[in-house]
C-alpha cells in the first residue's frame, strides 16, 4: 500500500480544517426522491445542492486524490441493488494540489441507484452518503449524511431509458466525435520560400500525439504533402514543444499536444503559377476514457494568401533542448565505449605501439612526437565525424528517424548486422579496396601535418574489417534518434580510438604495460560477432511486430537469444573453436569470469519461455502478449473452459486465452454455429484504455469466465495496418472518391456508420441477427458495472 497516497487527502482535509474553528460550514444539502420504473423496480435519486464556490467530488477519484463520494444502503433482504450508483456529467479538471485529473460537481449533482424490490410490503429504504467538499481555500473533512427514500411517494415514469443509459464520465456513447479541428495558413519567408502552417485546435481534455512515437506506442501524427512539379520540401515538418509523460500502459515516454498546436513545413516554390498545395494529415487523439480511430483529414494551403513569416521554421525551447541533449549524450557515451571495444580488435590494437613508437623515433624531440601523435588522433576524429556528417547530409536530419521506424529499413538493418556478425565470426572480412589504402600510404609519405592526416586515413581504411561493423551498428542506432545523432556517434567512437595514441605518446613508458597481441584479440572479435547477431534480431522483431506476421513471436525470439548466448558461453569455456582461433591450452581468469557472466544471462532467459517478464531485457524481445502462448510454452491459464481445438480464423487472445476472431463475418458465422451471442470489441493496437480494460477488468474471474464461455469475441482493430490486395481496396463511405487504406480503416468506418461513434474501446453485445442485446458501452473501469452489463446482455440473448 502506498502510505503517501492514502494520507495525502486526509492530510489536506486536516490542515484546512483549522480554518473552521470560528465557523461551522455546511455547503452541501441532500434531498431524495424516488422514481417507479415497474412494479418491482425503482430509482433511488439522491440530489446534492452545493453552495456557490464549493466542489463535491465524483464517486470515481484516482488513488491519492480527495475522498470520493460514496453511497451505502442499509442491508435489507426485501430489495437488491441493480448495478452501481450512476452520476451526472460533472466537470473534470487538472487539479494543481493533487496533480491529477479530478471530476467534481458544482451547484447541483444527482446520483441514481436502481433497486429491485423483493417484498411488495417494503415502503422505506435508508442509506448513507460519505463525501468531501472543497472551495478555492479550504477543504472540509469527510462528512456523512443520512438518506431516506419513501417508495410509497414514488413518481411513476414511462420508460427506463434514463437510469439504464450508462453514463461513463458524462460522455454520450453514440456520438461521432471530432476532438481535433484543423486550419491552414501560409507564411512567406522570401520570394521562393514559404512555410505551410497546419494548426490543430484540440478539445479540452483530449491529446494529439507527436510525429515521432516509438514502435508499439499510439499512432503518431503524420503529413503527406501532394507536391506539384515546381515545389520541393525543405527539411521536415516541425512541431512545437508539447508535453511529455511516461505512459504506464505502453511503458514509454510519449509526447503529445493539448488545446492548440502548430506544425510548420518549409517549401521552395520555383513555379509562380502554383496557387494551392494539398496535403493529408493522419492522426489519433485520446482523452482519459477513449481514443479515436486513426483519422485522415485533407488540408489545403492557399499560396495567394500569405503573411510575412515572423519567425524561423524551428520551434525551440530550453526543456526541448535538454531532452535532445540527453539523447545525444547517451549516443555519445555508447559510441565512446564502442570505440574502446574496437581498440581491442586485431586490426587496431597492434597499431597503437607501432604508430606511437614511429612518431617518437621520427620526431626531433619528445614534445614534437607528442604533438604529432595528438594531430594523428585529431585526424582520426575528423575522418569519422566527417563520415557521420556525410550520412546526415545525404539522408537529412530527420529522415534517418523515419527510416529507422520503417519496416523495410528494419529488415535492411537486420541483414546488415547479420553480415557484420558473420564477418566478426571469421567467415570473411569486410575490406575497402586496396587501392584506397595504397593511395593513402603514398600521401602519408609527404610528411608534415598533411602526411599525418593521411596516415590516420590509412589506419581507418586498413582497420575497416574490424571497425566497419561497429561503426555501422552505431550509425544504425543513431538513426533512431534522428538529427545530428550520427555525427555525435562518430565523435564519441573516434575520440575513444584517438585517445590512446595521444596518451601513449605523452607517456611512452606505458607501452611496456600493454598486453602482447595474441589469440585474445580474435576472441574479442568473435564475442562482438555474437553480440551483433543477437542485436540483429531486435530489428527483425520490430518489422514483424509492425506487420503482425507473428513469425518472430516472443518465445522464438527468446529461444534464439538463448541459443546465441549459450553458444557464446561454450565458446568462452573453450568447448567450441572457430577456424581463426589460436590453440587454447588454458582459460584465462578474465575469459572464465566473462563466460560465467554469459552463462548466467543464458540461464536467466530460460524462464522467459514459460512467461517470465525478463525485465532486464524488456526493451528487446516482443511484448508478453505477442506470443504463441501468453503464459509461456506448455502452460495454459484461464477463467473457464479450456479450448483445445481452435476454429479456423480464430486465435487465443493474450494474455487471457480468450477465443477471439479478428474478422466480422468469420466470427459471426462461428457464433451462429455454437449458439452464443457476439461481443464486438472495437479496439486498437495503440489504444491505451483498451489495454487498461483488458489488463484491469477482463482479468476479474467472473468477467473472464463470461468472455471465455458465454460469448464469441470479435476484436476489430481500427488501426490494423494490413493493406488490401492490389486493386481490391473498397471505396470509403465517409470520404467519397477515396479508397480505404487498410483493414483498420474499414473497421473504423464500420463502427462509425453502424454505431454512430468513432472512439475506442467500444463494446457491443448482439444476437445472430446483428441486433443489440443491450445498449453498447465504452470505457468501463468499474468491474461490477462491466460484469453486470455482460450478464444482462447474455441473459437477454438466452431469453
Amino acid at each position: 500500500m502506498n502510505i503517501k497516497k492514502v494520507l495525502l487527502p486526509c492530510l489536506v482535509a486536516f490542515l484546512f480544517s483549522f480554518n473552521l474553528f470560528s465557523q461551522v460550514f455546511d455547503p452541501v444539502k441532500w434531498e431524495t426522491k424516488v422514481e417507479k420504473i415497474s412494479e418491482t423496480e425503482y430509482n433511488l435519486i439522491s440530489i446534492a445542492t452545493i453552495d456557490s464556490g464549493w466542489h463535491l467530488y465524483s464517486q470515481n477519484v484516482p488513488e491519492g486524490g480527495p475522498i470520493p463520494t460514496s453511497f451505502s444502503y442499509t442491508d435489507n433482504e426485501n430489495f437488491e441493488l441493480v448495478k452501481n450508483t450512476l452520476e451526472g456529467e460533472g466537470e473534470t479538471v487538472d487539479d494543481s494540489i493533487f496533480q491529477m485529473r479530478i471530476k467534481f460537481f458544482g451547484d447541483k449533482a444527482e446520483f441514481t441507484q436502481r433497486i429491485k424490490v423483493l417484498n411488495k410490503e417494503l415502503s422505506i429504504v435508508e442509506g448513507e452518503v460519505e463525501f468531501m467538499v472543497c472551495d478555492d481555500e479550504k477543504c472540509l473533512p469527510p462528512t456523512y449524511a443520512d438518506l431516506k427514500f419513501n417508495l410509497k411517494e414514488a413518481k411513476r415514469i414511462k420508460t427506463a431509458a434514463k437510469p439504464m443509459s450508462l453514463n461513463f464520465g458524462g460522455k454520450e456513447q453514440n456520438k461521432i466525435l471530432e476532438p481535433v479541428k484543423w486550419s491552414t495558413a501560409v507564411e512567406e519567408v522570401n520570394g521562393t520560400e514559404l512555410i505551410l502552417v497546419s494548426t490543430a485546435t484540440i478539445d479540452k481534455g483530449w491529446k494529439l500525439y507527436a510525429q515521432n512515437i516509438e514502435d508499439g506506442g499510439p499512432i503518431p501524427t503524420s503529413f503527406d504533402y501532394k507536391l506539384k512539379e515546381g515545389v520541393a520540401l525543405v527539411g521536415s515538418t516541425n512541431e512545437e514543444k508539447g508535453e511529455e509523460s511516461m505512459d504506464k500502459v505502453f511503458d514509454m515516454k510519449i509526447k503529445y499536444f493539448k488545446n492548440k498546436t502548430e506544425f510548420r513545413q518549409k517549401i521552395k516554390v520555383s513555379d509562380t503559377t502554383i496557387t494551392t498545395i494539398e496535403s493529408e494529415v493522419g492522426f489519433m487523439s485520446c482523452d482519459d476514457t477513449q481514443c479515436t480511430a486513426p483519422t485522415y483529414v485533407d488540408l489545403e494551403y492557399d499560396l495567394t494568401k500569405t503573411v510575412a513569416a515572423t519567425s524561423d521554421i524551428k520551434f525551440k525551447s530550453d526543456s526541448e533542448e535538454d531532452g535532445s541533449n540527453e539523447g545525444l549524450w547517451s549516443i555519445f557515451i555508447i559510441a565512446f565505449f564502442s570505440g574502446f571495444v574496437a581498440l581491442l580488435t586485431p586490426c587496431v590494437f597492434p597499431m597503437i605501439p607501432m604508430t606511437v613508437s614511429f612518431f617518437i623515433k621520427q620526431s626531433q624531440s619528445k614534445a614534437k612526437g607528442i604533438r604529432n601523435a595528438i594531430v594523428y588522433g585529431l585526424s582520426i576524429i575528423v575522418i569519422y565525424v566527417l563520415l557521420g556528417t556525410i550520412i546526415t547530409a545525404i539522408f537529412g536530419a530527420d529522415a534517418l528517424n523515419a527510416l529507422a521506424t520503417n519496416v523495410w529499413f528494419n529488415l535492411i538493418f537486420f541483414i546488415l548486422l547479420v553480415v557484420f556478425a558473420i564477418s566478426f565470426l571469421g567467415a570473411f572480412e569486410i575490406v575497402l579496396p586496396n587501392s584506397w589504402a595504397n593511395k593513402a600510404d603514398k600521401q602519408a609519405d609527404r610528411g608534415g601535418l598533411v602526411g599525418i592526416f593521411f596516415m590516420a586515413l590509412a589506419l581507418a581504411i586498413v582497420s575497416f574489417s574490424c571497425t566497419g561493423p561497429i561503426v555501422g551498428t552505431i550509425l544504425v542506432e543513431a538513426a533512431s534518434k534522428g538529427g545530428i545523432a550520427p555525427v555525435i556517434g562518430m565523435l564519441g567512437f573516434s575520440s575513444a580510438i584517438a585517445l590512446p595514441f595521444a596518451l601513449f605518446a605523452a607517456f611512452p613508458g606505458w607501452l611496456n604495460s600493454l598486453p602482447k597481441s595474441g589469440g585474445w584479440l580474435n576472441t574479442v572479435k568473435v564475442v562482438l560477432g555474437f553480440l551483433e547477431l543477437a542485436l540483429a534480431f531486435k530489428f527483425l522483431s520490430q518489422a514483424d511486430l509492425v506487420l503482425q506476421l507473428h513469425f518472430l513471436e516472443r518465445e522464438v525470439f527468446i529461444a534464439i537469444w538463448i541459443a546465441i548466448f549459450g553458444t557464446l558461453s561454450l565458446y568462452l569455456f573453450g568447448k567450441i573453436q572457430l577456424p581463426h582461433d589460436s590453440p587454447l591450452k588454458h582459460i584465462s581468469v578474465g575469459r572464465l569470469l566473462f563466460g560465467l557472466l554469459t552463462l548466467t544471462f543464458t540461464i536467466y532467459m530460460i524462464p522467459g519461455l514459460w512467461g517470465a517478464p525478463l525485465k532486464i531485457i524488456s526493451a528487446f524481445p516482443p511484448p508478453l502478449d505477442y506470443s504463441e502462448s501468453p503464459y509461456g510454452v506448455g502452460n495454459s491459464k484461464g477463467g473457464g473452459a479450456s479450448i483445445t481445438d481452435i476454429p479456423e480464423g480464430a486465435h487465443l487472445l493474450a494474455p487471457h486465452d480468450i477465443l477471439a476472431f479478428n474478422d466480422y463475418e468469420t466470427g459471426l458465422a462461428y457464433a451462429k454455429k455454437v449458439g452464443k451471442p457476439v461481443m464486438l470489441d472495437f479496439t486498437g493496437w495503440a489504444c491505451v484504455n483498451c489495454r487498461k480494460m483488458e489488463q484491469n477488468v477482463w482479468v476479474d474471474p467472473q468477467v473472464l469466465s463470461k468472455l471465455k464461455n458465454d460469448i464469441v469475441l470479435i476484436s476489430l482493430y481500427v488501426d490494423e495496418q494490413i493493406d488490401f490486395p492490389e486493386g481490391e481496396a473498397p471505396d470509403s463511405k465517409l470520404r467519397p472518391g477515396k479508397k480505404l487504406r487498410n483493414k483498420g480503416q474499414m473497421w473504423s468506418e464500420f463502427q462509425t456508420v453502424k454505431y454512430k461513434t468513432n472512439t475506442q474501446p467500444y463494446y457491443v453485445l448482439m444476437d445472430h441477427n446483428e441486433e443489440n442485446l443491450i445498449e453498447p458501452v465504452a470505457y468501463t473501469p468499474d468491474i461490477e458495472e462491466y460484469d453486470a452489463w455482460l450478464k444482462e446482455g447474455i441473459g437477454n440473448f438466452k431469453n
Side-chain angles (χ1 to χ4, degrees), residues 633-649:
V633 175
N635 194 350
S636 178
K637 293 183 181 180
S642 61
I643 299 173
T644 56
D645 186 16
I646 300 177
E648 184 177 355

Side-chain angles (χ1 to χ4, degrees), residues 38-51:
S38 65
E39 292 304 316
T40 58
E41 291 190 332
Y42 293 81
N43 285 335
L44 309 182
I45 302 175
S46 305
I47 303 168
T49 303
I50 309 159
D51 289 353

Side-chain angles (χ1 to χ4, degrees), residues 30 58 123 176 211 227 230 244 321 347 384 410 416 419 431 445 470 490 514 521 541:
W30 291 90
S58 166
S123 60
I176 298 175
Q211 297 177 94
L227 298 180
E244 191 173 38
E321 289 176 356
C347 310
Y384 282 101
N410 270 293
L416 279 176
V419 171
V431 294
D445 293 338
I470 300 175
M490 290 299 94
L514 282 178
L521 291 175
S541 172

Side-chain angles (χ1 to χ4, degrees), residues 169-208:
K171 291 181 171 59
E172 297 180 47
Q173 300 302 308
N174 289 63
K175 183 178 181 181
I176 298 175
L177 299 177
E178 191 182 358
V180 182
K181 283 83 175 178
W182 292 89
S183 60
T184 62
V186 181
E187 296 180 359
E188 183 176 356
V189 180
N190 54 48
T192 59
E193 290 189 336
L194 303 172
I195 297 176
L196 307 180
V197 183
S198 307
T199 303
T201 303
I202 308 160
D203 287 354
K204 184 178 180 181
W206 287 80
K207 300 174 182 177
L208 173 68

Side-chain angles (χ1 to χ4, degrees), residues 104-142:
F104 64 85
F105 304 96
D107 300 328
K108 197 169 187 178
E110 191 171 295
F111 302 85
T112 302
Q113 172 65 60
R114 178 179 289 189
I115 65 168
K116 185 175 182 179
V117 175
L118 305 177
N119 182 355
K120 293 184 179 180
E121 300 301 320
L122 179 68
S123 60
I124 299 295
V125 174
E126 295 182 344
E128 183 182 68
V129 57
E130 177 188 13
F131 60 96
M132 176 177 174
V133 288
C134 299
D135 65 4
D136 293 336
E137 297 179 350
K138 54 187 170 295
C139 292
L140 301 185

Side-chain angles (χ1 to χ4, degrees), residues 385-396:
V385 169
L386 186 61
L387 173 63
T389 304
I390 292 172
I391 295 295
T392 304
I394 291 174
F395 290 101

